[in-house]
Amino acid sequence: MKPNHHRNHLRARLAGAAATMALIIAASAQAQEATPQATEAADAGEIVVTALKSGSLKLDQVPIAIQAFSGDTLKQRNVRDGSDLIQLIPGASQAQEIGAGYRIFSFRGSGAGGPIGDGLIGYYLDDTPFGVPNNQAAPPVQYFDIDRIEVLRGPQGTLYGLGSSAGTIIYRTKNPDLEKITVAGEAELSTTREAGDPNYRGAAAVSVPLIEGKLGLRISGGYDRRAGYADIYSGAPTGTPREKDANDVTSKDLQAVLLWKPDALTTVRLRGWYFSTDQNYLNVINSVKPPFASFQGDVVGYDRRRAWYLSNTITRDIGALTLTNATSYQKSLPGGFQVGLNLGAPLGIGTLINGGDARNFVNELRLATNKGGPFKGVAGVFYQNAKSLYTFNLNFPAFALSGQTITKTENAAVFSEASYELFGGKLVPLVGLRYFKDKRTANSISNGVPVFIKATPDAVTWRANLAWYPTTNWTVFFNAGTGFRSGILQSQAQADAVIADGVPSGLSLTPDKLRNLEIGTKGTLLDGALRLAVSLYDIKYTNIQSAFNTSIGLAAFANLGDGKAQGIDLEATWRTPLKGLTLTAIGNVNDSKFTNVIPAFNGADPRIANGKRLLNTPTHNFRLDAAYETNVGKYELFMTGSATTVGRFRLGDATVNEINPYQLFQASIGLRRDRHELRLFADNLSDERGPTSANGPTLLAGPRPRTIGVTFRLNTN
């Protein structure tokens, strides 16, 4: 298909989708009021979320593009890590994968500049953010003890600020039970094609009321070992490999939550979490089918991630207001990755080592309304003090470079959002504002040459929203907002390498921004049996910060210009007439492109040009889930299945220009009685190998080969 025909086809699909959405809005305005259904599978809109920080709302009453997944839903859909979760989100994709503990995700084209700089998606563990400067990696959360996950698509520049310009994912962990002792656990055994050893994992949780109704403790943890399946060759992939099934992964985590309610107005919640992810070699390899890494010499590859995370949230009701103070401290211990590389002439075969550690202190103090009435609002102050160390070592016969960068940030923000119900709550306008000020420094050394860099970016981000509730079970909304990200600080060697290739750059990049306009609707039909959510968005990206592959092989950074993305997100849940059968679908179709690329950048990299599709942005993604339950004597029989498809997308590496479309399939069947559950599952049924991401022709990554196993669960009593 010719490019113009392709774009016209996409525009036609978007226009058709817009017309469909208009019909849904019209139908919702004329719909008869229906009684909400209590069953989550029947009506996902019944899930209660707190993402707007001004009280609890049912999902379908929140006038933004938001999803919520309960812990039971995550288990039902076999979600174990971030790459599984991302399949459930319209317009989401994986921008980069290095090892099991290092994955970077993108929403709606936010990965156009590559996986560099501060985060574009904000990751919150309960009330405080996870992350450090110049690092976009998602937290390697273990999903066993998750209460729910809330996913906000689009910029969250007012309530969540820096690091949330593309959206926010909030992981809500389970609280202790203050009334009784509870226990839960699961054990799993599986086998992966190509792997010689089995996979096994186990997790458990116990909750104890220390003072009934007042004080409780919940402790949980898990151990997960995934067998390796890729072979390692010292040289060319011939003969006997140096190591077989080498890229095994061991993940551990331990969590404790202490909940104290000294009186009816006060809640204190303390949480401590430790995790480690240790992988031999990496997920990126030379070939995904068959899976192997070649030209590794005697390099023993690895990926090591471990961190402590401590948080404390105190809430106090003061009349019509709730005061909340949330504090966290994150300590990322020394880690990183090592890999052997074959870069060809003239550099040859060598080694790349990346390492570092970090710390991050955060405090947010806010006041929010908590009573009924037409006015609702939240206002607060946010403070962050963080430091990260990044080290690198490139060692090749014809080239060697080593160094480190210590980045520090001390930033503060003030924010507020306020809304007022008009016409008895049928129409609700909202406005929000945030002012952010950053003081950022970097001490960098490249081959012994020190450089000090300083930047003081600031920004005002805003949000405007208009919600219309035509009936009790339908919401129509218009949302507009902006996002902001501080500029990357890079070493003198990196800046010099970019400039030598003819592209303007510097030690400190210009911050990038985005503006989003969105209209959507959500609600139920067929007496609550069918839930729909649709949203159309138009995003403009300005001064995109991008990775730049310099001619000497050193990765560096520059502002590449502007871009835009337009698309439609779809969600549907249908409790079918066949008793026990529920179908769930999500989807996204989009048209994205670069609009104002800096000529010098285009000259150095012709793949980045006006009118060309944004990087790391699939043309579409869809997923269909089916779940069926029925009684068989004293047992509940359950079956699940899913099909995921991801469209073609372009990469930043010219040698691997794009990733072809791919599909993933899952299925499970099991029996449940009382608290006990036995489940047989199969992931990646078609044994899709990809690649599904790439950092060049020798760093390909794909989904885990077909895995079949059995899980036993002891659900909470």
Side-chain angles (χ1 to χ4, degrees):
M1 184 178 288
K2 294 181 180 180
N4 287 338
H5 290 170
H6 180 65
R7 285 194 292 269
N8 290 337
H9 179 62
L10 274 174
R11 291 192 185 102
R13 292 167 74 183
L14 289 172
T20 302
M21 179 178 171
L23 290 173
I24 292 173
I25 293 174
S28 70
Q30 299 171 5
Q32 298 295 317
E33 295 187 4
T35 301
Q37 303 297 314
T39 305
E40 178 193 322
D43 184 1
E46 288 296 294
I47 299 176
V48 173
V49 297
T50 56
L52 297 188
K53 297 186 178 183
S54 56
S56 301
L57 283 175
K58 292 181 180 179
L59 186 63
D60 278 346
Q61 295 176 339
V62 183
I64 60 174
I66 181 173
Q67 294 169 276
F69 306 100
S70 71
D72 289 341
T73 297
L74 297 171
K75 291 177 181 178
Q76 180 191 71
R77 300 185 189 180
N78 223 23
V79 173
R80 292 191 186 87
D81 56 32
S83 62
D84 295 331
L85 177 68
I86 218 71
Q87 296 177 31
L88 306 178
I89 303 171
S93 60
Q94 182 166 279
Q96 188 180 66
E97 178 178 359
I98 298 295
Y102 192 87
R103 289 187 171 100
I104 295 174
F105 304 116
S106 170
F107 284 178
R108 297 175 168 180
S110 59
I116 49 90
D118 287 359
L120 287 160
I121 298 174
Y123 300 99
Y124 272 66
L125 303 179
D126 298 306
D127 294 293
T128 50
F130 177 97
V132 294
N134 283 334
N135 191 334
Q136 292 193 40
V141 172
Q142 302 298 313
Y143 285 71
F144 166 74
D145 215 31
I146 292 291
D147 181 65
R148 71 181 183 278
I149 295 177
E150 301 173 18
V151 180
L152 291 71
R153 306 189 299 275
Q156 304 300 319
T158 52
L159 291 183
Y160 294 95
L162 183 70
S164 295
S165 60
T168 302
I169 300 178
I170 307 168
Y171 303 88
R172 304 286 186 189
T173 52
K174 289 185 177 180
N175 279 327
D177 191 315
L178 299 184
E179 303 300 329
K180 64 181 185 297
I181 296 175
T182 64
V183 295
E186 65 182 36
E188 184 174 292
L189 181 67
S190 64
T191 179
T192 296
R193 188 176 180 185
E194 309 279 4
D197 296 327
N199 315 301
Y200 50 89
R201 71 185 185 97
V206 58
S207 177
V208 180
L210 303 177
I211 302 175
E212 188 174 336
K214 296 285 188 178
L215 182 67
L217 175 66
R218 184 179 183 91
I219 297 176
S220 61
Y223 180 94
D224 186 356
R225 186 186 184 279
R226 300 192 185 189
Y229 56 87
D231 296 339
I232 308 299
Y233 292 88
S234 296
T238 59
T240 303
R242 173 163 62 86
E243 294 188 50
K244 289 185 66 64
D245 302 336
N247 59 334
D248 54 287
V249 184
T250 300
S251 301
K252 307 171 189 175
D253 87 306
L254 182 64
Q255 174 177 270
V257 177
L258 184 70
L259 183 66
W260 180 36
K261 293 187 174 182
D263 55 54
L265 302 177
T266 308
T267 300
V268 179
R269 188 181 195 269
L270 303 174
R271 177 175 180 259
W273 180 46
Y274 171 79
F275 72 82
S276 68
T277 302
D278 296 294
Q279 180 165 13
N280 292 316
Y281 296 91
L282 303 176
N283 285 348
V284 284
I285 49 184
N286 293 75
S287 169
V288 292
K289 190 174 184 180
F292 66 77
S294 57
F295 297 102
Q296 295 296 297
D298 59 359
V299 173
V300 178
Y302 62 81
D303 182 32
R304 305 279 185 262
R305 314 284 167 180
R306 46 181 52 82
W308 287 96
Y309 191 91
L310 306 173
S311 64
N312 173 31
T313 300
I314 303 172
T315 61
R316 172 76 179 181
D317 287 345
I318 307 171
L321 299 174
T322 297
L323 178 68
T324 302
N325 190 82
T327 307
S328 68
Y329 180 78
Q330 175 184 337
K331 177 65 175 178
S332 298
L333 304 177
F337 69 88
Q338 174 175 279
V339 63
L341 295 176
N342 179 16
L343 298 182
L347 296 178
I349 301 171
T351 307
L352 167 64
I353 303 174
N354 275 357
D357 56 51
R359 62 160 178 81
N360 182 31
F361 172 81
V362 164
N363 192 85
E364 179 175 294
L365 177 67
R366 65 179 185 268
L367 270 174
T369 55
N370 63 19
K371 300 294 184 183
F375 175 79
K376 292 181 176 61
V378 58
V381 294
F382 176 91
Y383 174 78
Q384 179 185 35
N385 189 313
K387 174 184 176 182
S388 65
L389 167 66
Y390 165 72
T391 63
F392 64 92
N393 188 303
L394 283 163
N395 194 347
F396 289 83
F399 176 74
L401 181 66
S402 63
Q404 68 174 39
T405 299
I406 299 174
T407 303
K408 297 179 181 179
T409 178
E410 185 176 16
N411 62 73
V414 293
F415 64 91
S416 65
E417 283 193 351
S419 65
Y420 195 86
E421 298 177 358
L422 303 174
F423 308 110
K426 291 286 188 181
L427 198 65
V428 184
L430 175 146
V431 292
L433 201 65
R434 187 184 190 104
Y435 174 71
F436 166 84
K437 179 70 175 178
D438 195 1
K439 178 183 178 182
R440 186 164 294 205
T441 62
N443 285 284
S444 178
I445 300 176
S446 299
N447 277 356
V449 179
V451 174
F452 177 75
I453 315 147
K454 181 179 179 180
T456 56
D458 64 346
V460 174
T461 52
W462 55 267
R463 185 166 84 94
N465 184 282
L466 184 62
W468 174 40
Y469 299 94
T471 70
T472 57
N473 58 334
W474 276 94
T475 301
V476 181
F477 66 86
F478 169 76
N479 190 62
T482 59
F484 167 86
R485 183 168 63 140
S486 290
I488 295 170
L489 306 184
Q490 63 182 338
S491 69
Q492 188 68 56
Q494 291 172 305
D496 290 344
V498 177
I499 294 169
D501 285 345
V503 176
S505 189
L507 300 177
S508 175
L509 267 59
T510 301
D512 50 17
K513 303 177 182 179
L514 68 83
R515 180 274 298 151
N516 179 50
L517 303 176
E518 188 161 359
I519 184 172
T521 185
K522 59 180 76 173
T524 59
L525 298 170
L526 305 178
D527 291 331
L530 176 63
R531 175 186 180 266
L532 295 174
V534 185
S535 58
L536 285 164
Y537 60 86
D538 179 281
I539 300 175
K540 179 181 179 181
Y541 298 98
T542 305
N543 293 323
I544 298 171
Q545 300 179 68
S546 176
F548 186 83
N549 295 319
T550 65
S551 58
I552 65 170
L554 178 63
F557 314 108
N559 292 100
L560 69 81
D562 305 335
K564 70 176 183 179
Q566 298 170 319
I568 182 169
D569 290 343
L570 305 167
E571 302 170 55
T573 300
W574 181 30
R575 189 182 68 252
T576 70
L578 177 61
K579 185 179 179 180
L581 177 63
T582 301
L583 302 178
T584 303
I586 63 97
N588 168 271
V589 178
N590 69 84
D591 184 17
S592 69
K593 65 184 68 175
F594 292 108
T595 57
N596 186 25
V597 176
I598 295 172
F601 202 110
N602 169 242
D605 186 355
R607 300 177 62 257
I608 310 297
N610 294 341
K612 289 196 173 183
R613 186 168 183 84
L614 297 183
L615 305 178
N616 301 306
T617 309
T619 55
H620 62 271
N621 76 309
F622 296 99
R623 174 165 167 140
L624 175 65
D625 282 88
Y628 177 72
E629 294 188 4
T630 189
N631 291 325
V632 179
K634 296 180 179 180
Y635 295 90
E636 289 180 61
L637 171 69
F638 61 89
M639 294 180 284
T640 67
S642 71
T644 301
T645 180
V646 178
R648 188 181 308 274
F649 59 96
R650 301 174 64 231
L651 296 176
D653 193 303
T655 57
V656 184
N657 182 53
E658 61 185 15
I659 295 294
N660 291 324
Y662 62 89
Q663 294 78 40
L664 298 170
F665 302 94
Q666 293 181 337
S668 72
I669 184 170
L671 290 172
R672 184 185 303 118
R673 183 178 179 183
D674 299 325
R675 298 173 54 202
H676 303 90
E677 180 180 307
L678 186 65
R679 167 191 181 108
L680 176 67
F681 69 89
D683 292 339
N684 193 5
L685 272 168
S686 64
D687 201 28
E688 172 69 59
R689 300 299 180 90
T692 54
S693 64
N695 298 314
T698 63
L699 296 172
L700 309 174
R704 190 170 183 83
R706 181 168 54 235
T707 299
I708 298 175
V710 61
T711 304
F712 172 76
R713 290 193 176 112
L714 178 67
N715 296 311
T716 302
N717 55 317

